[in-house]
Amino acid sequence: MSVTFADLTTMRVGGPVGELHVPTSTSELVETVRGTGRAALIIGGGSNLVVGDQGWPGPVIKVASSEIDLDGTRVTAAAGVGWDQLVELTINEGLAGLECLSGIPGLVGGTPIQNVGAYGALTSDVLETVTVLDRETGETESWPTERLGFGSHRQSVFKHSDRWAVVDVTFRLQAGKQSGPIKYAGLATALDLAIGGTAGTADVREAVLGLRRQRGMVLDPADHDTWSVGSFFINPVLAEVPEEARNCPQFPDPQGTKLAAAWLVHNAGFAPGYRRGPVGLSTRHALAVTNRGGATTTDVMEFAAHVREGVERAFKIRLGPECDLVNCSF
């Protein structure tokens, strides 16, 4: 039976896989990547990926390495470890620092690629090093955080080149079962805290999971609101905000001013639940483009383009994707 990217991604669209490899250890991952060079498409949990209806004709490496090493407050996890599996493990081991990142789909290897963040926390807050494999030379290197190119929203060196493959990630956490200061207002409210207060890490995890479920951001095969890549459009960062968008929530960014893409989408006339055929926005919020069942990648791209054009007409801002698009565009 042939495998398609609809089987391997959370959006559940995409054409056939040419030649599937599933390395289950770090050594096997390194060997497989070295053997295929840059011809292979490397994927993780498929939670931030949309592939065209033609698929990928060459080798596809689905990372499934599973090693985890605990050394005091330092935790090293292979790229193929499930992210939420690692979060839950660290909490159970009495380590704090990842609790606000509970429930995020995907694998550990994906977290440094776009400096994954949620509820006031970022991967970079606790990330120490990333082991990378140079797909040109076949050599592995350990990179400190400052070499990863974090800074502007959801950026890193990995987003601009396929030269490096993430092999494992090391985090430096805190010993204890009490969280750090809660920075996100909605999470503080859910925990009945003032902003800056702390709570038990297990309690923070449950609160975060509850908030994510309310927004359809915890994967559930029965819930089409979760048949998505999470936030489809990236929050735009602009040197100058157009007058038409002056009322949009704005946040400082090293590259200028970051605007809330969800506000732009909603206020351009695309409310939660807006739908065209088999593709629509989540019924819970306006930033997730979702497969309502039976959609193709072409359907998704046409819908995304329709929303993007509406936002551009209303606010003179052209939205781009937060997810990775392979053999497709809008």
Side-chain angles (χ1 to χ4, degrees), residues 95-97 99 174-180 197-201:
L95 297 172
E99 56 277 356
Q174 298 293 319
K177 296 191 175 184
Q178 195 75 4
S179 75
T198 67
T201 52

Side-chain angles (χ1 to χ4, degrees), residues 78-92:
V81 172
W83 173 253
D84 198 51
Q85 171 194 346
L86 181 67
V87 174
E88 185 174 28
L89 173 67
T90 59
I91 290 172
N92 290 340

Side-chain angles (χ1 to χ4, degrees), residues 48-60:
N48 198 49
L49 174 68
V50 183
V51 180
D53 293 318
Q54 69 270 45
W56 182 271
V60 174

